[in-house]
Amino acid sequence: MTKIISANLNGIRSAAKKGFFEWMNQQQADFVCVQELKAQEPDMTGDFLTPHGYHGHFHYAEKKGYSGTGVYSKQKPDAVAIGFGSPEFDAEGRYVRCDFGNLSVISVYCPSGSSSPERQEAKFRFMDLFMPHLASLIAEGRELVICGDWNIAHKEIDLKNWKSNQKNSGFLPEERAWMTTLFDELGWVDVYRRLHPETTGDAYTWWSNRGQAWANNVGWRIDYHVATAGIAAKAKHASIYKEERFSDHAPLIIEYA
């Protein structure tokens, strides 16, 4: 079995203090994709760069305390790509790709548009640029798993209060349609949904820090494994780890045969 974890850390230093790396070691995953490092290269200690003997590869944002992505792997990758070729968004540290034989594992952190109309426009620009890139990845003919925080809940079952969020970033009609194009036209697979087509409350991966969202399970499913059909068909078990809280997101764990 190949075990792959996706985890938005909401700050690698914060998550480390909450025991993330001890938990990660216990999981014995083959690959761990992390997002929202909120750290620059000088902030990355050996414990963050190569925890428990893992190989780590990272994309740092130019802006301090912002964004950032990484891939940890048990084996050394054959090749690594940092960024996907967009000057605007590569400056924000949103993409790491690692190749292992015929498998590529990618960690992605898609922009959020919730902070301002300007950021929502940036999110739309990202979506316009990222879709052709996703098409080019499919055309490579490799097996790929893209793990990360996509900042979009695809369908009504993917968030608690869907009716009241239809005009909010993360559940806008344009964002949802973009995800549908990804799955229905390009041929990518939402791996969690393949295994659990009907799950609602147990599927959430993010809870707002406002109010009592965590306590009341008022969540969103915005963290995904998006995979090519071949490896998606080999997914056997998916879980969302909620016993400990390392972040406002919960790690999404999927095992592939």
Side-chain angles (χ1 to χ4, degrees), residues 27-243:
Q27 293 301 304
Q28 290 296 297
D30 298 279
F31 309 102
V32 181
C33 297
V34 292
Q35 304 88 39
E36 212 170 349
L37 301 175
K38 292 186 173 179
Q40 264 50 41
E41 193 164 7
D43 304 316
M44 298 287 282
T45 64
D47 291 343
F48 297 169
L49 293 167
T50 55
H52 307 290
Y54 277 85
H55 299 272
H57 296 275
F58 309 94
H59 189 192
Y60 307 109
E62 292 176 5
K63 181 179 173 183
K64 284 193 172 183
Y66 183 72
S67 189
T69 48
V71 175
Y72 292 108
S73 59
K74 280 190 173 179
Q75 65 185 90
K76 189 177 180 180
D78 303 325
V80 178
I82 303 297
F84 69 98
S86 159
E88 178 181 3
F89 295 106
D90 287 352
E92 295 183 352
R94 297 190 175 276
Y95 184 98
V96 178
R97 168 180 170 166
C98 295
D99 296 344
F100 308 87
N102 191 45
L103 172 67
S104 295
V105 177
I106 296 171
S107 182
V108 69
Y109 179 39
C110 301
S112 168
S114 60
S115 62
S116 68
E118 291 76 19
R119 284 311 295 170
Q120 184 62 45
E121 288 305 312
K123 184 177 186 179
F124 285 140
R125 287 196 301 277
F126 176 89
M127 290 159 58
D128 288 343
L129 291 165
F130 203 47
M131 185 66 79
H133 178 71
L134 292 165
S136 73
L137 291 176
I138 285 273
E140 288 185 23
R142 298 170 57 79
E143 296 298 347
L144 298 107
V145 181
I146 308 175
C147 294
D149 177 358
W150 293 69
N151 266 310
I152 300 171
H154 185 207
K155 296 186 176 179
E156 293 169 4
I157 62 169
D158 291 323
L159 70 167
K160 177 81 169 189
N161 294 328
W162 69 267
K163 286 185 179 177
S164 60
N165 277 295
Q166 293 176 87
K167 294 183 179 179
N168 290 336
S169 180
F171 199 61
L172 296 173
E174 304 96 312
E175 296 171 334
R176 298 173 62 199
W178 187 84
M179 293 294 277
T180 298
T181 298
L182 191 70
F183 300 132
D184 294 357
E185 296 181 28
L186 291 191
W188 290 95
V189 179
D190 178 348
V191 182
Y192 182 89
R193 274 289 169 240
R194 181 187 166 275
L195 292 170
H196 300 287
E198 307 296 333
T199 306
T200 54
D202 288 341
Y204 304 149
T205 61
W206 174 78
W207 300 260
S208 170
N209 285 322
R210 297 175 192 162
Q212 294 291 311
W214 170 256
N216 297 323
N217 198 27
V218 180
W220 295 55
R221 188 177 77 97
I222 57 176
D223 301 86
Y224 297 76
H225 285 210
V226 173
T228 46
I231 190 164
K234 296 180 178 180
K236 300 300 179 190
H237 182 259
S239 61
I240 296 163
Y241 182 76
K242 302 179 205 174
E243 282 68 36

